[in-house]
Every structure is written in C-alpha cells, then in structure tokens.
Amino acid sequence: MAELGGETGVAIQDERQLEAAEFILRLGNALLQAGYAINQIGELLLALSHSLELPQPQVYVTPTVIEVTIGPLTRQHRALLVTTPGDINLGQLTQLDTIARAVAAGTLSPHDGIARLEALSDAPPLGNALLVGVSYALTAAAFARTLGGGIREILVAALVGGVTGVLAVFAQLFSRVQRIFPPLAAFIASLLVSAWAARVTPVAGDLVTLAGLFVLLPGFTLTVALEELASRDLVSGTVRMTSAFITLFGLILGVALGRQFAERLFGPARLVVPTTLPAWTYLLAALLAGLAYTLWLQVERRDIVWVVLACVIGATAARGCAGARTAARSVRGGIGGWAGEQSLRVALGPTSGGDAGAGADRTGAGEHRATELRGALYRADDCRHPDGFSDVSDRDRAGLRHLRRQSAAALAPSAAHALRRGQPHRADGVAARQ
C-alpha cells in the first residue's frame, strides 16, 4: 500500500506520528475516491498534518498518487500511496469530514480514525447500488420534462434511464464494464430510443436520448477541472479535463453508433413535436430531480431537504431567467416593429410643393404596396408546423412575431426606395404588385 520510512535511516520519533502519517494518507485516498477536488485535498491534508503536530509536513496529491513527506529536507520520511479517483459521493464526503474534524480536534485518535476509514471504505451493499439505479430513471424523467418533453417523452426517458441505471449497477460490480460504461450506456440508450420511435410510438428522439444520458454528462468533472486549473494545479486539472472530454466523446460516439444500428434493424425513427404540459409540471419535475439527486449522490438523510430545496430554487431561477429573456425580446421586437412602421410611413408619405398631385398618386399606390408588404410579413402568425402534427407553440409563435417585426424594420428603407422608383419589391417570397 505505502512506503513509510527514511532514506537516511533515522526513524520517526514515536508510534503516534507513524499512525498520524498513515491516517493522513488513508484519508486522502478516501477523499479522492469520493470525488473531492484534488487541490482541496492537498490543503486539507496539510492543515491536518499541522494539527497533528507532524514535523515540517509536505503533501503532494495527483489523480493517481498521494505522497506525504515528514521532517526537514535532509532527514525526510515519505509515505506514498497509488490510487484512482472515484465518482462524487456526498454521503461519504460528509462522514469523512466528520472523521477528519474529530481527529483534528483530538476527540478521536489517529488509530481509531484509521479503523473508521476502513469501515467506511467497505463495499456498499447491493441495496444502495439499486437505489442509485432507480435514481437514474427518476433523473431522466425529470429532465425530460424540463427539456420540454410530453408524457410520451417522460415515460420513454424513464425507461431509458432505468436501463442505464441497471447497467451502472453492473459496472460497479464488474471493473471491465466500468471502463466502457459511458459509451456502452450511450449506445444502448440511443438504440432503445430509435427502436421505440420506429416500431412503438413516435417520440422526440434527441430529447429522450439526452434526458436518459443526463447523469453521465461530465459536467461536475469539467467544473472541478477548471477549478484545479485556476488554482495552478496543472497536472490534476489537465488530467480531469482530458477525462471529461474523453467521456463526452464516448457518449457522442455511442449515440451515433446506436442510432445507425437501430435504423438498419428497425428502419427510420418517427419523430414528433412534444406535447405541451401545464406549467406546474415543471416544478414537479424539479422536486423529482431533487429526490433523484439524493439517491444518486447518496446524500445523508439530514441533508435531503437542502438538496431538494437547492434543486427547486435553481430550476425556478432558470425558468425566471428564461421568462425575462422572452419578455425582453418581446419588448425589443415591439420597439423594432414600431420603428419600422414609422420609417415606412415617413418614407411613403405625401410629397410637398408643386408636385402635390403626382405625390398624392404615388402615395396612394405606395400605401397599397405597403399594405401588401405588411400582409406578407404578418402572415407568420397563421403558420403551422411543417409536418402538420400540431399548431406551433406559443413560444415559437412569439419568436415568429419578433422575427416579423425585425424584418419589417429592416425591409422598410429598401421597400420605400423601390416603391418611390416605381420598381417591384419582394418580401418573404411575395412580390409587391404595381
């Protein structure tokens, strides 16, 4: 496990320092396997070494090696442990923090702390693994709703997430499956969604696939990698960044292969636009996602309420920001439409002077052409989905209105110039008649 001793042949002062060094080494290994950031592990172990009164301690942590050095530069003693990082486990991190605080405060000896760490590092029972598998299904169903899916998309996403959770249980039991777990899960999820859309019932395939694989996206790994790079821990940050991109590439490759394989076996998938659900289902999905996170991250019971509350607050804030952006676009579109109307009206207004009669004639013709131009631009309100499945949603209709108003503002000067010269002008494929 570790190498503990001095190259100069000078022994560590007493048994207590030996146990303290071993405890620090084992604690660092447990924190690394529970998903703790490497730069924070080094700071924590160094502070704990000073609390245990180790002489001139130094700590070096990488994703694969933890090293603790004790003593002056000419008489150093070294403890080394080769390890591998693990996935995030909030429940285990909470217990490790409790053990570290107790040892630092002196209420728990390093020897007893090592015993607690060994008991905590035992393999979890199968029941916990099954709960983690169930959390995949709940998370997929929740995010299918937050991504705009309907009832069919939510049910199929839950099925895909459940299959991914079962595969995750096998990956925890067999190390060879763990190595290829992300691309294998992406392949199976894409195959199931494409087969369902081709043979059972049409669904929004991309939405369901993304929701079913949401828990496998390396967002947390990428966040920790950026934090480590920002703290100048270049080795650990580069390793985590590379791992995140490899995981993402494996997911993309698995989805592409699964879709192509399903098309050859079951034919092309039938895709539809998801049905719109009531707004209160978004909040229900946030609650469900919070509960799923407590199972997935293995949160302590006393922290369940806070995790669920954080999910609800985050989802509500995201929904509020989206609504604010939509309102801002509507206001901007209204201002642009009003400005376009004013520009068009001024450009086509009556001329003054001796040529008032000719100006009036041109004005009448110009008003007729401007009416046709506005009609062509305003027909966006009556459009339907190109596949004829259902009417365009309210959000898409608002976007079309905004595009229409911007088009009116942009085309007004060129339309006025063409009309004054007596030339036909085209807008949205419709020619303005003379």
Side-chain angles (χ1 to χ4, degrees), residues 180-403:
I180 60 172
F181 171 58
L184 180 61
F187 174 81
I188 295 177
S190 180
L191 179 65
L192 287 176
V193 173
S194 299
W196 185 285
R199 294 298 179 89
V200 182
T201 181
V203 293
D206 293 338
L207 186 150
V208 175
T209 304
L210 179 59
L213 298 175
F214 183 83
V215 294
L216 301 183
L217 296 177
F220 181 79
T221 303
L222 185 61
T223 302
V224 175
L226 294 176
E227 179 185 356
E228 291 171 348
L229 290 174
S231 62
R232 303 301 181 184
D233 193 347
L234 303 181
V235 175
S236 301
T238 303
V239 170
R240 284 191 188 269
M241 182 75 73
T242 305
S243 176
F245 281 110
I246 290 176
T247 301
L248 185 60
F249 176 76
L251 292 175
I252 296 174
L253 181 62
V255 169
L257 291 177
R259 182 173 299 175
Q260 293 294 327
F261 192 68
E263 288 183 358
R264 293 180 179 271
L265 288 180
F266 308 104
R270 297 172 297 168
L271 305 179
V272 296
V273 176
T275 58
T276 303
L277 296 179
W280 60 266
T281 57
Y282 187 88
L283 181 59
L284 181 61
L287 291 172
L288 185 63
L291 293 176
Y293 279 155
T294 60
L295 299 177
W296 175 34
L297 302 177
Q298 303 181 37
V299 179
E300 291 289 327
R301 291 184 178 180
R302 65 175 182 270
D303 299 328
I304 290 178
V305 177
W306 302 110
V307 172
V308 174
L309 184 61
C311 289
V312 172
I313 293 175
T316 305
R319 188 77 169 184
C321 291
R325 287 194 298 268
T326 302
R329 285 195 300 266
S330 299
V331 173
R332 188 168 58 248
I335 295 175
W338 177 83
E341 292 286 343
Q342 296 301 318
S343 299
L344 190 61
R345 185 171 300 174
V346 170
L348 299 175
T351 58
S352 59
D355 200 18
D361 294 337
R362 288 198 302 268
T363 300
E367 288 292 344
H368 177 68
R369 295 164 191 164
T371 301
E372 292 185 348
L373 175 61
R374 285 193 295 266
L377 294 173
Y378 276 67
R379 287 193 189 100
D381 286 339
D382 299 328
C383 67
R384 292 179 175 269
H385 191 271
D387 294 335
F389 291 111
S390 62
D391 290 342
V392 178
S393 63
D394 294 337
R395 183 175 58 183
D396 294 337
R397 190 180 297 279
L400 290 171
R401 292 195 186 98
H402 174 57
L403 179 61

Side-chain angles (χ1 to χ4, degrees), residues 133-145 150-166 192-193 207-209 211-213 288:
V134 172
S135 70
Y136 278 67
L138 297 178
T139 305
F143 275 94
R145 169 60 190 93
I151 296 296
R152 287 178 298 185
E153 285 74 20
I154 293 174
L155 294 178
V156 178
L159 175 62
V160 175
V163 173
T164 305
V166 172
L192 287 176
V193 173
L207 186 150
V208 175
T209 304
L213 298 175
L288 185 63

Side-chain angles (χ1 to χ4, degrees), residues 49-74:
S49 300
H50 288 294
S51 299
L52 295 176
E53 298 179 354
L54 293 178
Q56 302 183 21
Q58 297 183 30
V59 177
Y60 178 70
V61 184
T62 69
T64 56
V65 174
I66 301 176
E67 182 177 357
V68 178
T69 304
I70 303 171
L73 183 62
T74 57

